[in-house]
Amino acid sequence: MLSLLHASLLHERLQETEKTAARIHAPDWLVRELNTPKMRLEVQFRARIRANLESFSGFVVLLNNPHPTGASPYKGGLRFNPQVTLDILTVLAMEMTDKCALAVLPFGGGKAGIAFDPSLYSEEDRRKITEAFTDELLKHNL
């Protein structure tokens, strides 16, 4: 149910970009770049929590930098939420791209997330989960 809502939010966001682009006569290549993430990655990883191995899903979305260089870096954050999806992270990364453009910051939007309920884990456990996620991302050169 929630993933359908996230897909709907993404669909609305893509349509919004296309409408705005049409009003300002933006080139097609720019609209494609703004609506197509440079990367959407889903990973599975394990973390040792209180002597037990637990499995987690993690996600990363990176959007092209709309500045003339089109290069990295990316600005965003890490979300802990049991219902996090690639679609909602894509919307949030798109919004971060917009915020950076409005502030004239040369960053593409980025957002990452780990699907778990942080209220069920201690600060130490959350640190271990985050470190395991980071280790997994390093394997993908991120």
Side-chain angles (χ1 to χ4, degrees), residues 58-106:
F59 311 91
V60 176
V61 176
L62 302 175
L63 273 99
N64 284 307
N65 180 341
H67 280 64
T69 64
S72 24
Y74 305 95
K75 180 164 179 17
L78 176 61
R79 174 171 282 219
F80 298 152
N81 187 294
Q83 287 93 25
V84 72
T85 64
L86 278 170
D87 286 343
I88 196 65
L89 293 176
T90 301
V91 172
L92 294 169
M94 288 175 156
E95 300 213 347
M96 184 55 70
T97 299
D98 293 350
K99 288 181 202 176
C100 289
L102 288 170
V104 195
L105 297 172

Side-chain angles (χ1 to χ4, degrees), residues 114-125:
I114 305 172
F116 79 103
D117 184 346
S119 69
L120 302 177
Y121 294 86
S122 69
E123 182 176 342
E124 174 71 11
D125 294 339

Side-chain angles (χ1 to χ4, degrees), residues 21-33:
R23 271 185 261 147
I24 64 169
H25 307 290
D28 290 341
W29 67 265
L30 180 59
V31 177
R32 273 192 307 279
E33 275 194 8

Side-chain angles (χ1 to χ4, degrees), residues 43-58 114-116 121 125-137 139-140:
V43 296
Q44 304 300 314
F45 64 96
R46 295 181 198 154
R48 187 166 299 282
I49 307 297
R50 293 174 235 122
N52 297 313
L53 275 178
E54 292 189 33
S55 181
F56 298 91
S57 296
I114 305 172
F116 79 103
Y121 294 86
D125 294 339
R126 292 190 301 268
R127 183 187 60 77
K128 288 178 181 179
I129 294 165
T130 303
E131 286 177 354
F133 179 54
T134 304
D135 287 343
E136 187 64 32
L137 294 180
K139 295 174 189 175
H140 296 272

